[in-house]
Amino acid sequence: MNNQILLILGMMLVTYIPRLLPFIMASEKKLPVKLNKFLQFIPYTALGALIIPEVFSAIPEMPLASLLGIGFSFVYGWYKGGIIIPVLGSILVSFLTLLMYNSFVF
């Protein structure tokens, strides 16, 4: 049991230190404006790369619901920004689209 705890603590240190060192080194220096702007887009790009492929395969029988949800998220995020409302809004738009589709079918 003690070996497992030591192993977990060791893995925590091995993964945490490489993430912490660049943050400490970069926080004291002023980054160029273009590099700073580039770094601001990384979270959105990473989220998009993780989420968008799965969105199209989530509802294979009704891809229109996914497209409308992602469209709402893109338009709202582009003009208003933020993350919570685009995510919740895209879920609501997809749900309403599926609800309307199912009420017309059944």
Side-chain angles (χ1 to χ4, degrees), residues 22 26 29-46:
K29 293 181 179 179
K30 181 130 177 110
L31 297 175
V33 175
K34 287 185 177 182
L35 178 62
N36 198 14
K37 189 156 182 98
F38 171 76
L39 292 175
Q40 289 177 351
F41 288 114
I42 288 177
Y44 300 110
T45 306

Side-chain angles (χ1 to χ4, degrees), residues 48-78:
L50 290 172
I51 293 173
I52 288 176
E54 295 301 320
V55 165
F56 292 111
S57 64
I59 311 168
E61 66 275 0
M62 184 65 179
L64 180 64
S66 299
L67 286 174
L68 289 176
I70 223 99
F72 171 81
S73 177
F74 179 77
V75 170
Y76 190 89
W78 184 267

